Amino acid sequence: MNKAKVNEAELKERVVAINRVAKVVKGGRRFSFSAIVVLGDGKGVVGQGLGKANEVTDAIAKAIEDAKKNLVSVPVINDTVPHEIHGKFSGGFVFVKPAAPGTGIIAGGAMRAVLEAAGIHNVLAKSKGSSNPHNVVKATIDALSQMRAPHAVAFQRSVKMTKVFNG
């Protein structure tokens, strides 16, 4: 994964899911909350975090702190991704494909949050397998972290940029 450095003031968080969980104890049920948060600067940096606490606000705060530790850099070219890619995490599989300007984000709930946070505005995406928000978010970030920028591909192949990318 390509770790990203970013100004923390620019990061915007988006809560993907909040789940109430119960622990059965002698006196009855004890409730707590888990929250999944996606963090991004809208310019190609995105991360996800999971927080658990007895209160919703504490769980979200913990998730934001966790997301700051898991930021990755994504190449965004002309408001879309540079190439098609598949991502996988556990039972969640995602497919992300570049789209023409004006298409918008064609993606489901958890994937949409990740793509918007990364600053991708035109993309076609499909989620297969598990619809669990944990798996979908992590699979999407896995796919985005595998993306390769055209200049990096050109350097690796020792060819001119125009041979790799015409945009």
Side-chain angles (χ1 to χ4, degrees), residues 93-153:
F93 301 91
V94 299
F95 173 65
V96 181
K97 181 178 175 180
T103 304
I105 299 176
I106 311 295
M111 285 181 74
R112 176 179 292 273
V114 175
L115 296 168
E116 284 175 354
I120 299 168
H121 300 297
N122 300 304
V123 70
L124 301 169
K126 180 71 180 165
S127 172
K128 301 175 220 158
S130 172
S131 61
N132 179 337
H134 292 272
N135 293 339
V136 174
V137 166
K138 288 179 181 174
T140 306
I141 289 185
D142 173 55
L144 293 177
S145 65
Q146 292 177 42
M147 291 281 174
R148 294 173 32 186
H151 60 83
V153 174

Side-chain angles (χ1 to χ4, degrees), residues 33-37 49-53 56 58-64 66:
F33 298 90
S34 71
I36 309 168
V37 171
L50 173 65
K52 299 177 182 180
V56 175
D58 295 340
I60 292 171
K62 284 183 180 181
I64 291 168
D66 187 38

Side-chain angles (χ1 to χ4, degrees), residues 1-143:
M1 280 195 184
N2 30 348
K3 293 284 179 189
K5 301 230 183 225
V6 69
N7 182 2
E8 290 190 13
E10 295 177 3
L11 294 174
K12 294 179 185 77
E13 70 265 359
R14 180 146 175 209
V15 178
V16 176
I18 296 176
N19 192 23
R20 186 177 83 163
V21 292
K23 176 183 178 184
V24 180
V25 292
K26 189 165 76 173
R29 291 185 190 94
R30 181 151 308 149
F31 295 105
S32 64
F33 298 90
S34 71
I36 309 168
V37 171
V38 172
L39 206 61
D41 69 348
K43 299 179 205 156
V45 174
V46 67
Q48 62 83 29
L50 173 65
K52 299 177 182 180
N54 290 331
E55 298 294 327
V56 175
T57 53
D58 295 340
I60 292 171
K62 284 183 180 181
I64 291 168
E65 288 304 311
D66 187 38
K68 286 178 184 175
K69 297 172 189 170
N70 299 317
L71 293 174
V72 293
S73 182
V74 179
V76 179
I77 296 158
N78 299 337
D79 290 337
T80 189
V81 292
H83 56 86
E84 294 181 2
I85 196 82
H86 293 271
K88 176 184 185 300
F89 183 84
S90 188
F93 301 91
V94 299
F95 173 65
V96 181
K97 181 178 175 180
T103 304
I105 299 176
I106 311 295
M111 285 181 74
R112 176 179 292 273
V114 175
L115 296 168
E116 284 175 354
I120 299 168
H121 300 297
N122 300 304
V123 70
L124 301 169
K126 180 71 180 165
S127 172
K128 301 175 220 158
S130 172
S131 61
N132 179 337
H134 292 272
N135 293 339
V136 174
V137 166
K138 288 179 181 174
T140 306
I141 289 185
D142 173 55

